[in-house]
Amino acid sequence: MAQPVIEVTGLTKRFGATTAVDDLSFAVPRGEILGLLGPNGAGKTTTLQLLLGLTTPTAGQARVFGLDVQRRRYDVLQRVNFSSAYISLPTNLTGWENLHVFARLYGLRRPRPRVLALAETFGIADLLDRVTGALSSGQLTRLNLCKAFLNDPEVLFLDEPTASLDPDIADVVRETLRAQQRQRGVTIVYTSHNMREVERLCDRVLFLSRGREVASGTPRDVMERARQQTLEDVFIRIARDGRLTDSREAEG
Amino acid sequence: MASRVLGLLLRYAYLYRRSLARSMELFFWPVMDLLVWGFLSVYLERVAAPRAVSYLVGALILWDVLYRCQQAITLAVTEDIWVKNIINLFVAPVRPAELMVATSIVGVFKAAIPGVLLTVLALVLYDYHLLALGGALAPFLASLLLFGWAVGIFTAGLILRFGQSAEALVWGIPFVLQPFSAVFYPVAVLPGWARTVALVLPSTHVFEGMRAVVAGEGLRGATLIAAFGLNAFYLLAGSLFFAWMLRRVREKGYLGKLGME
Ligand SMILES: Nc1ncnc2c1ncn2[C@@H]1O[C@H](COP(=O)(O)OP(=O)(O)OP(=O)(O)O)[C@@H](O)[C@H]1O
Ligand SMILES: [Mg+2]
């Protein structure tokens, strides 16, 4: 097997008494869309932050492109990108200005055609002259996604990227992510609480509970093992039991 | 490197172009200060104090350089925390040093623009010639900018680490430095302990030097050596402090939470 794009080994992050990520190990091959799932506080955001070098691990290691994220952060960051429903872009700049700035930060020589093409893809071409603070949350999310694609990332980390999108645009976003994966082999690690979306989009899912891996595999595979009809039912079971199979069933 | 620094500068340029209020703020307070202090010193000169205008108005203009520069750096970082953009910067391949260089350049502009205006106004209103400081002016300005950078980088580190709860402290720091920097009076009037503090601040040496030049004593080499030597020390210390704060923030996982408190 070719070397995976992302390799996490024994990754652990403690905040005082809280263990947000607990001895986590997984690998993501090139071109895979991995859904990082689990209840609130399971450690999804913390895992993404460890992969981006925003947070230093208490133990273990995260490697992207075979590079230790802690030691080679800037080499990694040049080739990846990140977006989240919980961050924003400077509100008093227009969409174009914001994307232009980030295009420069990623070292793009000719930002304009790239920005226009992305704005077209995400359906915000007519909003580029508007001040970012005046955009609706769904429009802002799409602007954030444009930013995330500026540097042609090989790996994309997305924290609840579709959280505030209407169903139509959410679908457009999913299609775009799929298309990027197919055409350019982009590897995507993303979190979402929308299980229908996850079923449709993810090649593989990794369920976390209290920072630990509870289950991983293709959505179908995980549903079969949990003997559930939908990923949502799997989620609820994990959220309530902290494990994949019913404890009573296992005992009985 | 150059591309990323230019990218950051572009971001600040857009910000100022778009925000009239922010651009007005560049001029408003310094001009108000100049009016009050300028007329006060004209009055003082009439009743008692020779050279009051040269000492006070000159000091006011020079102090503003340090103050604007420090504020520019801190405000640039604070602004990106406020608008929840700071994570975008930290997941881009922007080095902390590049952030510091870009904000320091903004500091130079934010010091220079009102500085020129104040210099012209002082000339018109009080017949005060800042340029009469002659060859000493350039090293004085450079020294104040360097100290403004050092303090700005230090306070930016505090903001990064402690977020909004540190803001009041951060805005206050220049006002703590001011009495010890002997801006409007000679170091000699300070009590002994305060004099010790004063002498380890590069700003003190600039203002003492300025008064010496105005009094016709000329520019002493020792003044410049002290000012630039101390500046080198504070710039290094400020940068190390910023790097240390950044490391703490990464450990505590606050980077992802900045602006969300
Ligand atoms: N900087 C921090 N300091 C202290 N505790 C933290 C910090 N960041 C996260 N935590 C804790 O770590 C745990 C995991 O949080 P994390 O944000 O990774 O969860 P999550 O899976 O993203 O949850 P959600 O679905 O709500 O977004 C939680 O218990 C949280 O309170
Ligand atoms: Mg989260």
Side-chain angles (χ1 to χ4, degrees):
Chain A
M1 182 176 132
Q3 193 189 30
V5 177
I6 300 172
E7 265 179 293
V8 168
T9 40
L11 198 61
T12 302
K13 181 65 189 179
R14 277 189 280 277
F15 297 111
T18 316
T19 304
V21 175
D22 195 358
D23 196 19
L24 195 61
S25 298
F26 63 88
V28 188
R30 186 178 125 85
E32 180 173 274
I33 301 186
L34 174 73
L36 213 49
L37 314 177
N40 292 137
K44 305 178 293 293
T45 299
T46 306
T47 303
L48 290 184
Q49 286 175 355
L50 288 163
L51 282 165
L52 285 158
L54 288 173
T55 302
T56 39
T58 311
Q61 200 183 43
R63 287 177 163 273
V64 179
F65 313 120
L67 306 172
D68 181 344
V69 174
Q70 288 303 313
R71 296 224 185 86
R72 304 281 302 276
R73 184 185 306 128
Y74 300 109
D75 296 319
V76 171
L77 290 180
Q78 180 65 44
R79 297 163 63 187
V80 308
N81 214 316
F82 172 69
S83 182
S84 157
Y86 303 103
I87 60 179
S88 181
L89 287 160
T91 43
N92 32 24
L93 269 59
T94 65
W96 154 253
E97 288 170 343
N98 270 321
L99 294 177
H100 186 197
V101 166
F102 278 94
R104 294 286 178 201
L105 295 184
Y106 282 100
L108 263 69
R109 293 259 160 65
R110 296 182 58 237
R112 187 172 287 273
R114 177 101 193 123
V115 167
L116 293 181
L118 283 170
E120 201 63 55
T121 305
F122 286 98
I124 55 163
D126 53 336
L127 300 175
L128 284 181
D129 290 333
R130 276 220 223 146
V131 176
T132 303
L135 299 180
S136 77
S137 58
Q139 292 166 338
L140 177 65
T141 302
R142 283 184 272 161
L143 186 65
N144 280 335
L145 283 168
C146 285
K147 186 233 80 171
F149 274 101
L150 276 173
N151 60 329
D152 247 321
E154 293 163 62
V155 175
L156 204 50
F157 298 103
L158 303 171
D159 201 2
E160 302 187 34
T162 52
S164 55
L165 298 177
D166 71 47
D168 170 40
I169 295 298
D171 191 58
V172 170
V173 167
R174 279 192 295 271
E175 282 308 311
T176 313
L177 294 179
R178 266 272 173 233
Q180 290 291 322
Q181 179 215 26
R182 253 183 268 119
Q183 292 158 15
R184 300 185 27 257
V186 184
T187 308
I188 301 175
V189 178
Y190 99 121
T191 75
S192 173
H193 288 302
N194 180 341
M195 292 304 123
R196 299 249 326 264
E197 167 178 300
V198 170
E199 274 172 49
R200 267 187 259 169
L201 190 58
C202 291
D203 302 310
R204 202 157 62 91
V205 295
L206 196 153
F207 269 103
L208 296 180
S209 174
R210 299 208 188 91
R212 288 184 154 271
E213 177 183 326
V214 185
S216 81
T218 63
R220 178 173 302 282
D221 185 32
V222 170
M223 284 186 280
E224 271 170 19
R225 266 190 285 148
R227 289 191 232 138
Q228 300 292 336
Q229 299 299 310
T230 67
L231 217 48
E232 189 148 335
D233 293 325
V234 177
F235 187 102
I236 291 169
R237 162 145 305 177
I238 287 173
R240 296 192 184 156
D241 283 7
R243 53 201 288 180
L244 194 58
T245 46
D246 192 320
S247 42
R248 280 156 304 178
E249 273 173 40
E251 281 160 19
Chain B
M1 158 97 196
S3 164
R4 289 186 295 267
V5 172
L6 283 176
L8 289 168
L9 288 175
L10 191 64
R11 182 245 185 285
Y12 303 125
Y14 279 142
L15 178 64
Y16 280 92
R17 199 179 70 184
R18 207 149 284 289
S19 172
L20 182 69
R22 223 174 277 273
S23 314
M24 290 309 296
E25 170 246 22
L26 266 183
F27 302 110
F28 184 77
W29 298 112
V31 170
M32 291 305 126
D33 269 352
L34 183 75
L35 292 180
V36 172
W37 285 88
F39 288 115
L40 174 69
S41 40
V42 169
Y43 168 68
L44 286 177
E45 200 159 279
R46 248 179 240 163
V47 294
R51 302 207 190 97
V53 170
S54 302
Y55 284 168
L56 295 184
V57 174
L60 182 103
I61 297 175
L62 290 183
W63 174 259
D64 201 59
V65 168
L66 191 168
Y67 179 68
R68 295 290 142 194
C69 185
Q70 181 266 347
Q71 296 279 292
I73 295 176
T74 309
L75 190 65
V77 173
T78 312
E79 170 93 24
D80 275 318
I81 295 176
W82 278 339
V83 300
K84 300 184 185 165
N85 182 45
I86 195 87
I87 305 178
N88 283 322
L89 295 180
F90 278 108
V91 299
V94 177
R95 278 71 164 171
E98 291 162 351
L99 193 60
M100 290 303 113
V101 168
T103 54
S104 298
I105 293 173
V106 177
V108 173
F109 277 100
K110 283 186 83 170
I113 294 168
V116 169
L117 178 72
L118 292 189
T119 305
V120 172
L121 274 182
L123 186 65
V124 174
L125 291 173
Y126 314 116
D127 194 28
Y128 170 75
H129 298 253
L130 184 70
L131 296 179
L133 286 175
L137 187 59
F140 285 168
L141 288 174
S143 183
L144 292 169
L145 283 174
L146 289 174
F147 194 41
W149 285 346
V151 180
I153 290 169
F154 175 81
T155 48
L158 281 177
I159 285 277
L160 207 56
R161 169 67 181 78
F162 296 102
Q164 273 151 7
S165 46
E167 265 169 40
L169 178 72
V170 161
W171 303 127
I173 281 180
F175 295 95
V176 175
L177 294 175
Q178 197 179 32
F180 295 103
S181 296
V183 182
F184 299 111
Y185 40 77
V187 174
V189 306
L190 292 172
W193 64 271
R195 228 174 294 163
T196 318
V197 179
L199 290 178
V200 298
L201 299 177
S203 39
T204 310
H205 297 279
V206 170
F207 291 105
E208 288 284 284
M210 180 203 78
R211 280 183 293 269
V213 172
V214 170
E217 292 163 21
L219 179 64
R220 281 187 300 263
T223 303
L224 291 185
I225 293 171
F228 283 97
L230 287 167
N231 273 324
F233 169 76
Y234 286 112
L235 267 176
L236 183 68
S239 307
L240 289 176
F241 180 79
F242 187 84
W244 179 44
M245 287 296 108
L246 197 56
R247 208 163 54 238
R248 292 293 293 149
V249 162
R250 284 190 204 282
E251 282 163 14
K252 290 186 163 285
Y254 289 164
L255 220 45
K257 295 193 159 32
L258 283 169
M260 286 164 211
E261 59 229 274

